Amino acid sequence: MRIHLTSVFVDDQDKALRFYTEVLGFVKKTEVPLGADRWLTVVSPEDPDGTELLLEPDGHPAVRPYKAALAEDGIPAASFAVDDVPAEFDRLRELGVRFTQEPLEAGPVTTAVLDDTCGNLIQILHSK
């Protein structure tokens, strides 16, 4: 068994697609119209057949309070592996990304947390 798909709830699919592709560097994998929304996924360009990230609309009544509670408590909605957190932090900050946690070493991992502009905190990390 392996993870095929995971999701983040987003407040605007177009804005999310721009952020996750143009800023974070993912590529669009699937886009299927579903009424006012879409089944919209992105993947890593390094693993185009790997785990897909669904940019899921946050219209369900339970989602926005859930997202707000996570963000208020500083809890990331997802975690993405990078090769070098300080370098990625610098690259993303140059692009105007807002971080809620600068690079932090915690034993064998280094992490940082960013705001995805769609209502989520996202952790980036690398292991030593």
Side-chain angles (χ1 to χ4, degrees):
M1 187 177 303
R2 63 191 181 281
I3 298 170
H4 169 71
L5 176 88
T6 191
S7 62
V8 291
F9 292 107
V10 299
D11 58 11
D12 180 311
Q13 286 186 303
D14 291 325
K15 179 174 68 170
L17 182 61
R18 281 190 304 276
F19 183 83
Y20 280 82
T21 58
E22 296 173 14
V23 177
L24 296 186
F26 292 106
V27 294
K28 182 170 66 171
K29 171 94 179 201
T30 307
E31 183 172 7
V32 177
L34 296 171
D37 299 314
R38 297 166 284 172
W39 181 266
L40 182 60
T41 68
V42 296
V43 294
S44 169
E46 297 169 12
D47 191 10
D49 295 319
T51 304
E52 294 178 49
L53 179 67
L54 175 63
L55 303 177
E56 188 161 358
D58 67 1
H60 187 281
V63 173
R64 290 191 182 168
Y66 168 75
K67 283 174 52 179
L70 288 180
E72 185 176 315
D73 288 344
I75 299 171
S79 184
F80 302 144
V82 298
D83 292 332
D84 182 337
V85 168
E88 193 66 10
F89 172 85
D90 290 342
R91 180 187 80 81
L92 293 172
R93 190 168 245 179
E94 285 291 317
L95 293 172
V97 173
R98 185 179 75 82
F99 281 82
T100 61
Q101 177 203 303
E102 295 195 4
L104 174 68
E105 289 188 35
V109 299
T110 301
T111 64
V113 178
L114 61 93
D115 179 340
D116 78 349
T117 74
C118 302
N120 303 292
L121 298 179
I122 303 294
Q123 179 181 67
I124 58 172
L125 71 92
H126 75 255
S127 298
K128 293 180 183 175

